[in-house]
Amino acid sequence: MSEPSIFTRILNGEIPSEIVAQTENAFAIRDIHPQAPVHLLVIPKTQQYRDVVELAAGDPALLTELIGLANTLAAEHADGDFRLVFNRGANAGQTVFHVHAHVLAGGLEERHL
Ligand code: AMP
């Protein structure tokens, strides 16, 4: 068993962070370094999948649950529109190898992609 990830430690209450929403298998927190007016992380409670490619192959229903939670949160925290970003791999900027979706919302009319 690998060391608990930072997100597992947050879920277990070992690192302070407000859990803004939970479903059966996923939870959400605010990113500590927000890149948009609303920047949430939607995270499976299990850390067994390192990235979105592993998650899609191993548990597509859980990936669908993450997207549903992202959609709910974008409606609660912004106007319902959102950008969903999964970094996969260190060369793409991934720093935490416990799969998570960045939910970016609010004032994103100026596109960067
Ligand atoms: P990534 O670079 O895609 O792996 O994203 C990891 C994200 O986790 C970064 O955007 C960090 O700002 C965020 N992060 C790291 N530590 C914490 C923390 N303790 N609470 C909230 N967000 C965090």
Side-chain angles (χ1 to χ4, degrees), residues 9-101:
R9 295 182 68 200
I10 287 171
L11 182 64
N12 292 340
E14 295 163 15
I15 294 176
S17 179
E18 183 191 350
I19 294 177
V20 297
Q22 284 201 62
T23 60
E24 185 183 354
N25 301 303
F27 66 106
I29 60 173
R30 290 193 179 80
D31 197 292
I32 204 167
H33 293 125
Q35 304 298 313
V38 175
H39 186 171
L40 303 171
L41 300 174
V42 173
I43 309 163
K45 290 179 180 174
T46 177
Q47 68 172 56
Q48 80 180 99
Y49 304 107
R50 287 168 54 86
D51 60 53
V52 67
V53 176
E54 286 191 6
L55 177 61
D59 193 344
L62 181 52
L63 176 56
T64 300
E65 189 173 325
L66 295 190
I67 294 170
L69 182 54
N71 187 48
T72 300
L73 287 165
E76 287 175 3
H77 291 257
D79 64 4
D81 292 348
F82 62 98
R83 184 173 300 155
L84 198 62
V85 174
F86 290 91
N87 295 321
R88 195 210 86 90
N91 290 340
Q94 187 175 5
T95 57
V96 180
F97 293 85
H98 171 169
V99 62
H100 53 280

